[in-house]
Every structure is written in C-alpha cells, then in structure tokens.
C-alpha cells in the first residue's frame, strides 16, 4: 500500500511513522509527503529519508477546488491508498474527503470528543483535566469527529507545565499513530457506524 503523509510543521509524528516503517513495523511504502507550508521542518525530515515531497500552498490557487485538485492529481499518480494527516493545519473539503472515503487518518492531541480544534493541548491543560491523551481517528466532513481508532490516556502530573504536558502527549502520539497505520494497512479496521472494530 502506498501512503501519503500531510504535514504543516515540525513533523515529529512524520518522523515516528518513518522510523516505524524503516523498522518494518509498518508494512507499506511512504511515497509522498505533502505540505501546505514551504520550508516547514517536516519537509526536511522527508528529504532526509528520501521521500518525495510536494508543496502546494493555498495562496497560489484561486479556489479550494484548484488547490486540492493539484494535490489529488499527484496522489492519483502515486497510487496513494492511505492519507495520513500529521499536523496538517488545513481542513480538507467534503469533495476531497469523498475521494478518499475512509482512507484518511488524523491524530488529535486530546481525548476526543473533548477539546476539538487547533488548541487541544493548551485547552485541556488550562481546563485542569487530570487525564487526557491523543486520539487517532478517521477523517469525516465534521472536524475531529470521525470514528475513533485508538486513544491513549496520559495523566497530568502535579508539576507539569504546558510544555512538559505537551511533551508527554507527543510521546504517546508517536506510539499510537504508527500502530493505527499498521492496523489500517493490515485491513484490521472495520468501521461500523461511529465505531471502529479492530478485527
Ligand atoms: C500533533 O500534536 C498532532 O496531534 C496535531 O498536530 C501536532 C503535530 O505535531 N494534529 P508534529 O508536526 O507531528 O510534531
């Protein structure tokens, strides 16, 4: 199976996925890293791992359709069977999601459905939760609301700062995202309504 990973920033999840694939834990090819942000560090990581990169910046397109069309063209060329969103800071349109129905995964840094949106870590920390952690889910039209594949609980420590707390969540992300991807690759995820059965 050919995988494309979409990133906008640092790419620590991308790195964890690359490392897992190299170790043979993910039995699929990472064909392409797509970014909407030229110069982001995730692109450096991809280049270092000899993975093709594609930068498609929204500002160069007059419509969402054209912008996503440029990405879709490349995904078809590379025969991509799974899209992995790893810190891709842009919402995909319903049309795009339809093209890859049930073939797009995302990781979110809180236990969904709590703390959806772009500031999941900060909001959970400021709220004072005692337990939180990342969620890997299928992407549907509603943001951070698709069927949940894996979650992992992280306890908030009394002396945690927002930074140490974020670090603990990222560490857990780097474990569950490769695991969820491998389950998908092995055909072990069965969506039944809102639920994902691991078969
Ligand atoms: C992660 O916290 C992920 O949960 C969220 O974006 C962040 C990406 O971090 N969707 P990185 O670029 O993988 O380091």
């Amino acid at each position: 199976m050919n995988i494309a990973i979409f990133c906008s920033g640092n790419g620590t999840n991308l790195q964890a996925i690359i490392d897992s694939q190299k170790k043979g834990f993910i039995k699929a090819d990472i064909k392409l890293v797509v970014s909407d942000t030229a110069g982001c560090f995730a692109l450096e990581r991809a280049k270092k791992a000899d993975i093709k990169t594609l930068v498609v910046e929204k500002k160069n397109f007059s419509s969402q359709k054209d912008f996503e069309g440029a990405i879709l063209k490349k995904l078809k060329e590379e025969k991509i069977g799974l899209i992995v969103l790893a810190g891709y800071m842009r919402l995909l349109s319903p049309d795009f999601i339809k093209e890859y129905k049930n073939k797009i995964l995302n990781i979110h840094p809180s236990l969904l459905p709590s703390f959806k949106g772009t500031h999941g870590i900060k909001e959970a920390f400021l709220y004072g939760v005692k337990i939180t952690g990342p969620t890997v889910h299928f992407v549907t039209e509603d943001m951070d609301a698709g069927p949940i594949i894996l979650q992992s609980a992280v306890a908030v420590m009394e002396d945690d700062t927002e930074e140490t707390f974020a670090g603990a969540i990222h560490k857990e992300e780097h474990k569950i995202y490769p695991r969820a991807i491998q389950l998908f690759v092995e055909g072990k995820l069965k969506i039944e309504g809102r639920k994902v059965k691991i078969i």
Side-chain angles (χ1 to χ4, degrees):
M1 182 180 294
N2 292 341
I3 302 178
I5 305 179
F6 286 32
C7 305
S8 303
N10 188 358
T12 62
N13 279 282
L14 167 68
Q15 191 65 57
I17 297 163
I18 291 171
D19 294 346
S20 294
Q21 195 266 353
K22 286 210 166 120
K23 284 184 197 146
F25 179 67
I26 295 174
K27 294 177 180 58
D29 292 327
I30 305 169
K31 279 276 172 185
L32 188 66
V33 169
V34 177
S35 181
D36 62 340
T37 311
C40 72
F41 194 60
L43 289 167
E44 296 304 313
R45 296 180 190 269
K47 282 175 198 152
K48 203 167 168 217
D50 273 328
I51 300 169
K52 264 187 237 171
T53 58
L54 173 73
V55 178
V56 186
E57 293 185 287
K58 178 68 178 66
K59 64 177 187 203
N60 296 329
F61 295 85
S62 52
S63 69
Q64 180 77 4
K65 196 171 170 8
D66 290 350
F67 166 68
E68 290 185 340
I71 301 173
L72 281 169
K73 186 169 171 278
K74 191 76 182 165
L75 297 179
K76 303 279 173 203
E77 272 172 33
E78 299 288 344
K79 300 189 171 46
I80 298 300
L82 171 66
I83 296 172
V84 172
L85 306 183
Y88 187 66
M89 300 308 285
R90 194 168 280 283
L91 285 180
L92 299 169
S93 73
D95 284 343
F96 186 104
I97 294 168
K98 252 180 234 142
E99 282 276 339
Y100 278 87
K101 193 171 187 307
N102 298 335
K103 290 179 180 160
I104 309 177
L105 309 186
N106 182 44
I107 191 157
H108 183 78
S110 69
L111 291 175
L112 291 172
S114 292
F115 307 110
K116 293 178 180 176
T118 42
H119 303 292
I121 297 181
K122 191 185 192 75
E123 284 173 15
F125 186 70
L126 294 179
Y127 198 89
V129 298
K130 299 287 187 188
I131 301 273
T132 181
T135 301
V136 180
H137 63 92
F138 282 102
V139 172
T140 55
E141 286 182 23
D142 299 320
M143 187 187 63
D144 298 334
I148 290 170
I149 300 167
L150 292 177
Q151 293 186 302
S152 182
V154 175
V156 183
M157 299 297 154
E158 292 297 326
D159 58 354
D160 261 339
T161 62
E162 200 183 312
E163 287 67 39
T164 60
F165 173 65
I169 291 171
H170 288 138
K171 201 169 157 204
E172 219 44 47
E173 290 188 333
H174 302 158
K175 291 185 201 158
I176 67 166
Y177 215 1
R179 206 178 296 150
I181 292 166
Q182 180 52 18
L183 287 170
F184 181 95
V185 168
E186 288 173 352
K188 288 191 175 163
L189 301 177
K190 190 163 174 237
I191 303 176
E192 290 181 356
R194 266 223 56 83
K195 297 191 181 168
V196 178
K197 276 208 172 145
I198 299 176
I199 49 176

